[in-house]
Amino acid sequence: MKIVLCCAGGFSTTMLMDSMKNTIKKSEKLKEEDFKFIAIPVDILESEVEGCDAVVVGPQIAHKLDYIKSIIDPHEIPYVVVDKETYGKMDGATVLKKVLIERKKADMKK
């Protein structure tokens, strides 16, 4: 599963990505080799949409959601907008759970 994390510059999102990776490492059900993460500035999302299974949107760029959806909707890629509190805590477990739920919902629509 390829998960793309978008923010303004890709820096703080890298910390969230690391937290999500740690959640997978500690999990008895999830396998590291089943996941690929990439943290990017939102401006290059279009170049990373190929093969993407879910997009995580940092709260600092939530105002760009229409732009993001214009890129991912044609590909039927689900997304999660992380709230400020979860982002501030760098709570990768909560974000990963939301991503997996949205991906499952998208798969059920097919």
Side-chain angles (χ1 to χ4, degrees), residues 55-58 78-82 95 98-100 102:
V55 172
V56 174
V57 180
Y79 67 92
V80 171
V81 178
V82 183
V95 176
K98 289 180 178 183
V99 166
L100 294 173
E102 291 305 314

Side-chain angles (χ1 to χ4, degrees), residues 1-2 45 49-55 68-80 99-110:
M1 169 179 256
K2 180 180 175 185
L45 176 60
V49 80
E50 189 70 37
C52 178
D53 295 299
V55 172
I68 293 167
K69 287 174 74 173
S70 74
I71 295 170
I72 64 175
D73 282 357
H75 301 277
E76 299 178 356
I77 299 169
Y79 67 92
V80 171
V99 166
L100 294 173
I101 289 168
E102 291 305 314
R103 182 69 252 172
K104 188 162 210 104
K105 284 184 194 173
D107 289 344
M108 290 172 72
K109 287 181 185 176
K110 291 181 179 179

Side-chain angles (χ1 to χ4, degrees), residues 2 20 26 33 48-49 58 61 66 73 82 92 100:
K2 180 180 175 185
M20 293 171 76
K26 294 175 187 173
E33 60 268 14
E48 293 296 335
V49 80
I61 59 160
D66 287 341
D73 282 357
V82 183
L100 294 173

